[in-house]
Amino acid sequence: MPPPRRNSDVRITSSTVKIPPLSDHNLPPPPPPFLAHNLLSQLARAKSSFDNILDSLISRSLARSLRSPLLCSASLSLTGSQPRRQSILCSASLALSQPADSGPPEASVVTQQKSGGHSVSRGDEERVLISEVLVKNKDGEELERKDLEAEAMAALKACRPNSALTVQEVQEDVHRIIDSGYFSSCMPVAVDTRDGIRLVFQVEPNQEFQGVVCEGASVLPTKFLEDAFRYEYGKVVNVRRLDDAITAVNGWYMERGLFGLVSGVEILSGGIIRVQVAEAEVNDISIRFLDRRTGEPTKGKTKPETILRQLTTKKGQVYSMIQGKRDVDTVLTMGIMEDVSIIPQPAGDTGKVDLIMNVVERPSGGFSAGGGISSGITSGPLSGLIGSFAYSHRNVFGRNQKLNISLERGQIDSIYRVNYTDPWIEGDDKRTSRTIMVQNSRTPGNLVHGNQPGDSSLTIGRVTAGIEFSRPLRPKWSGTTGVIFQHAGVRDEKANPIIKDRYSSPLTASGKPHDDTLLAKLETVYTGSGDHGSSMFVFNMEQGLPLWPEWLFFNRVTARARKGVEIGPALFLLSVSGGHVVGKFSPHEAFAIGGTNSVRGYEEGAVGSGRSYVVGSGELSFPLLGPVEGVIFSDYGTDLGSGPTVPGDPAGARLKPGSGYGYGFGVRVDSPLGPLRLEYAFNDRRAKRFHFGVGHRN
């Protein structure tokens, strides 16, 4: 007769313990508190809390249990709490009870209390011999899917047939079954049989995945969400693979810099997974001016609406850090701010975000003076030196409007200029700018009517006034249109008006001391990335409007293109330009070929002067030392045989070849004024020449 079983009087009850959501002080600091960790980290925190509480319950229950305490259970559920702050809840149930008249416990348990949790130390735990281990459903019946039964059995490490187990070992295997991801609950049950104690793990498999619904997402594409869960359709929901899909959704928000992530997941009846997304919409945008010395808030001179209309971020949009970075750059390019930053703040408990843009204003205007070198004048010991004086105000009326008054004066040439620019006309939603310009200039006339020994010095005087409108057309494309009036004439070295040069070539188209022209201008520009080595294309057309009988009637078209190719650390730059004029135009307006910004190795305008022209250039630049670059170049230019068609044929009278090429080498040094270029060139006529320039070639 077998001995009586020592655990035959154990009965099962259950109680539920829930891990509450994290309190506010445990949440990460800004970015806003509704940005929680991903599902896996939430499960890890919940599991840690679950282990601590479960150990505490086991310790207290063991003190009252019999010698074979094998009953414990655990279940995992994915639920949501509040719409704004979702937490993954872990629930566990554990019960060990005995009749009131049972004897004292035989297990030795020591429990210590510590701040922030429990520490459990057990003595020699009783082991119970298990004869059989099975996996069944929650009703104690066979699982319909044998693959899930195999998954549960494969998760077991300690619980094997004919093994002696403790409560702790059973509890660890319960966790392993739950951690496999296929089951929502697991209850270990000890059954006393004639062959010994049978340990049955009663599990509840997750449902088969039949679809997904998403709540709270306004920018997340439906197709992306469907693709993230596509490979789970028809399969039993696995929490681990579900976490991969949620990670992909969170990654979509992160890649785009959007304030949003999955805040809760719930498995509904019928195998539908409900995904709740928290997206931080922009509630309000405010401008805060800071003192440039103390950093304290102050009163600004710029009107807030002038700054706000520059922003692409608007109220009601999901906030994007990438878009915010572009807005900061846009405000900085206005030229009136020294520093700009955006700080997102939680908008109360609304789940939205308030944006505070901190700006530090620059001084709005002032006087300046300086000197420079004019590359267009090539004779005389000091002829290239010029002086300048200017007044500028970059924030007129606090609306980012620009006023520039400047004077540049050299030995021969001079420019007086007044420019008033409104970068964005109020009330226009196309970002149209307006520029009003008045200019009086004197420039040397040797580009067309020079380069021959004994040529007298000619000066071309122009009085110009006009208005232009510009706006972006497409990304990287912009357009400009306007109307310009020009009154131009030629004077000799004694400042007397003349109408013919020393070869009796006419200097004006009208035969009078001055030519008057009303030009309608149209220009289109493609700027690429904006760097010197990026692609660029400019198309310009000017049409003379003969609204008065003496006014000139002609059409002038020019185009420039540039393409850069990186070859290791070097940059190869290919550029080409060309133009053509049809109609009656002033001879001094002919296209001049040759010089620093045209065909190097020749003097300015020494190759030709024509109605048409083409100039091509190839440059290979490479770093040398710090800000110094080396360059090898080759240029070619031609007037396409159009020199004789210019009134008076000034190029033929001066024996200009009409075409030519040059090549050479040089160095460039970065400076606050732009690249300083010193180049040494040879031309096809075996002449050698130094060229000096400031800034990149046109």
Side-chain angles (χ1 to χ4, degrees):
M1 179 176 179
R5 303 296 180 188
R6 304 184 64 178
N7 63 340
S8 59
D9 55 349
V10 175
R11 68 177 185 271
I12 302 173
T13 64
S14 67
S15 62
T16 299
V17 178
K18 289 190 176 181
I19 307 305
L22 293 175
S23 61
D24 288 343
H25 65 272
N26 288 329
L27 291 172
F34 45 80
L35 298 179
H37 293 290
N38 61 31
L39 176 63
L40 190 59
S41 63
Q42 296 186 47
L43 287 174
R45 291 200 303 270
K47 183 176 181 299
S48 175
S49 301
F50 165 77
D51 289 344
N52 289 337
I53 294 181
L54 195 57
D55 281 348
S56 177
L57 292 172
I58 291 173
S59 300
R60 293 195 293 269
S61 299
L62 281 174
R64 302 190 305 270
S65 66
L66 296 177
R67 186 170 296 179
S68 303
L70 289 176
L71 304 179
C72 64
S73 68
S75 64
L76 175 67
S77 62
L78 298 176
T79 62
S81 57
Q82 299 176 356
R84 188 172 74 87
R85 186 177 298 156
Q86 306 282 346
S87 297
I88 303 302
L89 303 181
C90 244
S91 65
S93 60
L94 172 71
L96 295 172
S97 61
Q98 62 182 22
D101 57 352
S102 60
E106 298 182 21
S108 175
V109 179
V110 178
T111 303
Q112 298 175 342
Q113 300 289 339
K114 291 185 178 181
S115 61
H118 301 279
S119 176
V120 180
S121 174
R122 299 183 179 87
D124 297 331
E125 293 191 16
E126 281 291 330
R127 291 185 175 271
V128 176
L129 181 64
I130 301 300
S131 61
E132 187 177 9
V133 178
L134 300 175
V135 175
K136 296 183 179 295
N137 63 19
K138 63 180 181 179
D139 298 323
E141 300 174 352
E142 296 289 335
L143 289 177
E144 295 181 2
R145 297 187 54 160
K146 295 302 180 182
D147 57 333
L148 294 180
E149 180 180 337
E151 291 286 349
M153 292 298 294
L156 301 177
K157 299 299 181 184
C159 298
R160 301 293 182 185
N162 301 317
S163 58
L165 304 175
T166 65
V167 169
Q168 182 67 22
E169 291 171 335
V170 174
Q171 172 192 329
E172 290 172 355
D173 273 353
V174 167
H175 280 287
R176 291 188 182 102
I177 291 176
I178 293 296
D179 288 344
S180 71
Y182 290 100
F183 307 97
S184 59
S185 67
C186 178
M187 173 78 75
V189 178
V191 181
D192 193 3
T193 69
R194 294 183 60 184
D195 298 328
I197 295 179
R198 176 188 300 155
L199 181 58
V200 180
F201 289 94
Q202 295 182 352
V203 297
E204 183 177 0
N206 294 328
Q207 303 177 66
E208 290 187 358
F209 179 55
Q210 299 299 328
V212 60
V213 294
C214 186
E215 297 178 354
S218 60
V219 295
L220 180 68
T222 302
K223 187 178 185 305
F224 180 87
L225 186 67
E226 292 175 349
D227 291 343
F229 289 87
R230 181 181 303 278
Y231 299 104
E232 301 303 319
Y233 282 98
K235 300 179 182 179
V236 173
V237 175
N238 186 292
V239 175
R240 290 184 177 272
R241 292 202 300 266
L242 181 62
D243 180 66
D244 293 338
I246 292 172
T247 300
V249 174
N250 289 339
W252 185 89
Y253 283 101
M254 184 177 298
E255 289 173 3
R256 290 153 182 80
L258 295 168
F259 272 31
L261 74 135
V262 176
S263 57
V265 180
E266 184 178 0
I267 304 176
L268 306 177
S269 60
I272 302 298
I273 294 181
R274 180 168 64 189
V275 178
Q276 293 178 311
V277 175
E279 295 180 344
E281 294 182 356
V282 177
N283 179 65
D284 189 32
I285 306 175
S286 59
I287 306 297
R288 181 167 59 190
F289 295 92
L290 302 180
D291 187 272
R292 59 195 305 265
R293 294 184 179 86
T294 65
E296 297 296 325
T298 186
K299 184 177 180 180
K301 298 178 181 178
T302 307
K303 295 185 181 297
E305 57 269 22
T306 300
I307 302 174
L308 291 174
R309 69 175 181 170
Q310 302 286 339
L311 310 183
T312 57
T313 302
K314 305 297 182 184
K315 296 180 182 179
Q317 292 181 350
V318 177
Y319 179 58
S320 167
M321 291 181 289
I322 296 177
Q323 191 176 7
K325 172 66 168 56
R326 288 198 298 263
D327 287 339
V328 167
D329 293 340
T330 300
V331 174
L332 285 173
T333 57
M334 294 170 64
I336 59 176
M337 299 300 169
E338 193 172 277
D339 188 34
V340 180
S341 63
I342 293 180
I343 301 177
Q345 299 276 350
D349 295 327
T350 62
K352 298 183 178 182
V353 63
D354 288 335
L355 301 181
I356 300 176
M357 174 171 279
N358 291 328
V359 297
V360 178
E361 292 180 303
R362 287 181 173 180
S364 57
F367 294 91
S368 63
I373 298 177
S374 173
S375 61
I377 306 174
T378 56
S379 60
L382 300 175
S383 61
L385 296 179
I386 62 173
S388 64
F389 177 83
Y391 170 78
S392 64
H393 197 296
R394 58 175 64 95
N395 195 13
V396 180
F397 308 126
R399 297 186 179 275
N400 192 33
Q401 298 173 5
K402 320 291 185 183
L403 174 64
N404 290 281
I405 303 173
S406 63
L407 164 63
E408 296 180 10
R409 178 71 178 176
Q411 288 184 326
I412 299 177
D413 57 338
S414 63
I415 299 177
Y416 302 88
R417 181 187 295 118
V418 178
N419 270 37
Y420 182 80
T421 301
D422 185 351
W424 190 346
I425 300 174
E426 186 174 0
D428 179 79
D429 59 351
K430 302 296 184 181
R431 302 181 71 92
T432 303
S433 67
R434 176 180 57 218
T435 299
I436 300 173
M437 174 267 298
V438 177
Q439 178 177 295
N440 186 351
S441 65
R442 293 176 58 203
T443 58
N446 62 333
L447 295 180
V448 175
H449 298 273
N451 304 110
Q452 211 32 333
D455 277 352
S456 59
S457 177
L458 301 179
T459 302
I460 303 172
R462 296 181 179 92
V463 177
T464 306
I467 182 170
E468 294 181 353
F469 297 90
S470 300
R471 70 166 50 167
L473 302 177
R474 297 181 59 189
K476 301 181 182 180
W477 285 90
S478 63
T480 300
T481 184
V483 178
I484 301 171
F485 178 81
Q486 178 176 281
H487 178 78
V490 182
R491 296 177 180 270
D492 61 17
E493 62 271 14
K494 297 180 180 180
N496 297 317
I498 56 175
I499 58 175
K500 291 185 178 182
D501 65 9
R502 66 188 303 267
Y503 296 96
S504 297
S505 298
L507 297 175
T508 62
S510 63
K512 298 180 179 181
H514 297 90
D515 285 334
D516 293 330
T517 308
L518 180 65
L519 293 173
K521 175 182 177 181
L522 179 65
E523 184 178 72
T524 302
V525 179
Y526 173 81
T527 56
S529 65
D531 297 331
H532 176 61
S534 66
S535 299
M536 180 272 292
F537 175 76
V538 178
F539 174 82
N540 184 289
M541 182 175 67
E542 295 176 335
Q543 177 64 55
L545 303 177
L547 300 184
W548 199 260
E550 289 84 7
W551 291 0
L552 302 185
F553 178 54
F554 65 91
N555 180 271
R556 177 166 49 210
V557 176
T558 60
R560 304 196 316 270
R562 181 184 67 209
K563 175 67 176 179
V565 179
E566 292 185 358
I567 306 176
L571 174 67
F572 178 72
L573 199 64
L574 179 64
S575 60
V576 61
S577 62
H580 182 65
V581 182
V582 176
K584 186 179 181 180
F585 69 103
S586 301
H588 57 77
E589 298 284 357
F591 296 114
I593 308 168
T596 303
N597 291 312
S598 181
V599 179
R600 285 161 286 191
Y602 282 91
E603 292 185 13
E604 303 295 324
V607 174
S609 305
R611 279 181 179 265
S612 305
Y613 88 102
V614 172
V615 171
S617 175
E619 293 184 349
L620 182 67
S621 59
F622 45 90
L624 290 179
L625 181 63
V628 181
E629 283 187 340
V631 62
I632 302 173
F633 60 85
S634 177
D635 305 325
Y636 174 78
T638 175
D639 64 5
L640 300 175
S642 65
T645 64
V646 176
D649 188 15
R654 288 161 179 79
L655 305 178
K656 296 183 180 182
S659 64
Y661 65 85
Y663 56 92
F665 57 90
V667 294
R668 295 176 183 172
V669 182
D670 284 337
S671 75
L673 300 176
L676 302 179
R677 298 184 286 131
L678 179 60
E679 298 158 339
Y680 189 63
F682 307 84
N683 66 24
D684 53 332
R685 301 198 168 202
R686 300 181 181 179
K688 309 179 185 76
R689 187 173 184 82
F690 276 104
H691 294 274
F692 179 77
V694 180
H696 295 292
R697 281 165 52 95
N698 294 330

